[in-house]
Amino acid sequence: MENKNNTRHRAKQEKMNPEEIRKEIFSWIRLIVIVVVAVVLLKQFVIVNAVVPSTSMEDTIQVGDRMIGFRLSYIKNPPKRYDIVIFNYPVDKSQKYIKRVIGLPGETVEIRDAHIYIDGSETPLVENYLKEDWIVGNDGYRFEVPEGCYLMLGDNRNISLDARYWSEEAINNGVASNEQEAAQYSYVPKDEMLGKAVFKYWPKFANLSSVEE
């Protein structure tokens, strides 16, 4: 049977004239171009394929986890508290960071004794996703989130380089000369958000959109 199939295939090739061969080659090239363009457009305008670079979001996501972010999540609806977002780091926009939305535009966010309070509420946010007891950078912070911006913190608060430290980083990196200039770097503008992290797919699948306010 295999010999007969090979014979038929050779016979078909022998019957194809140069014009048919040219058309078949062109059809394959066109298909490859269409696939490449579709992948480029998908990555540019629809999804963000990210690899987790640090431990700042443990245990929710781990170093080396691969995830998909959806670029269109915030076209119609604004980011929500607890969303995990991929964004350009305010102090150095060439770097991509992954953190969780904590403060929304116009809110006052206070960190007191390892708890977060929004707009003077007596009840702190419930944060069941934290990796461990929060003992580092857990008190004495107050943020007035500007309109159009968001306050981002990591889940692994004891080691996360997040909004608590970005103004200081801005001064240390020479992008701001004083505390007043540096304050703006504590927040992520909406237009610097690349996409909402939807799920991680390697080394195992996990939904990243399950926390609700």
Side-chain angles (χ1 to χ4, degrees):
M1 179 63 73
E2 185 175 349
N3 290 336
K4 288 183 179 180
N5 289 336
N6 291 337
T7 301
R8 289 173 184 171
H9 182 66
R10 286 196 298 271
K12 182 179 179 181
Q13 287 183 320
E14 291 171 358
K15 291 179 181 179
M16 291 178 66
N17 58 46
E19 179 63 19
E20 291 174 328
I21 294 174
R22 186 189 68 80
K23 288 181 178 179
E24 183 164 347
I25 292 173
F26 179 76
S27 69
W28 278 104
I29 293 174
R30 182 174 60 181
L31 178 61
I32 292 170
V33 170
I34 290 173
V35 170
V36 170
V37 170
V39 170
V40 170
L41 290 176
L42 189 67
K43 292 182 67 176
Q44 185 70 28
F45 299 107
V46 181
I47 66 170
V48 184
N49 188 9
V51 180
V52 179
S54 73
T55 60
S56 68
M57 283 295 293
E58 289 182 346
D59 283 330
T60 307
I61 47 181
Q62 313 290 328
V63 174
D65 280 357
R66 296 179 181 272
M67 67 175 62
I68 293 295
F70 189 43
R71 292 184 184 273
L72 305 180
S73 292
Y74 304 132
I75 295 297
K76 292 185 177 181
N77 300 311
K80 295 169 58 181
R81 197 181 333 276
Y82 302 124
D83 282 357
I84 298 173
V85 177
I86 304 163
F87 58 93
N88 293 322
Y89 175 38
V91 178
D92 180 358
K93 294 181 181 180
S94 68
Q95 298 185 50
K96 294 179 176 58
Y97 272 28
I98 304 169
K99 306 290 182 187
R100 191 182 295 274
V101 174
I102 298 298
L104 304 179
E107 290 184 338
T108 297
V109 180
E110 294 179 89
I111 300 175
R112 302 196 309 267
D113 194 23
H115 292 91
I116 293 176
Y117 298 86
I118 305 296
D119 289 338
S121 172
E122 296 181 359
T123 304
L125 295 184
V126 176
E127 298 190 284
N128 296 325
Y129 43 74
L130 296 186
K131 176 181 172 65
E132 57 194 5
D133 289 343
W134 183 7
I135 60 174
V136 176
N138 68 358
D139 191 66
Y141 292 88
R142 178 185 174 90
F143 300 94
E144 301 284 347
V145 185
E147 292 296 333
C149 295
Y150 296 81
L151 183 78
M152 315 292 291
L153 298 177
D155 289 359
N156 190 1
R157 298 275 163 80
N158 292 325
I159 61 94
S160 177
L161 179 61
D162 52 36
R164 294 168 292 169
Y165 309 112
W166 291 345
S167 61
E168 183 179 348
E169 287 293 303
I171 294 174
N172 292 340
N173 284 282
V175 298
S177 58
N178 55 57
E179 291 183 3
Q180 185 175 358
E181 288 182 7
Q184 62 182 306
Y185 294 97
S186 297
Y187 312 100
V188 177
K190 183 182 176 183
D191 59 9
E192 295 295 340
M193 292 182 170
L194 303 177
K196 176 184 177 181
V198 180
F199 62 86
K200 59 180 182 180
Y201 61 89
W202 192 90
K204 61 181 181 179
F205 180 89
N207 178 19
L208 297 176
S209 305
S210 58
V211 177
E212 298 292 340
E213 186 172 5

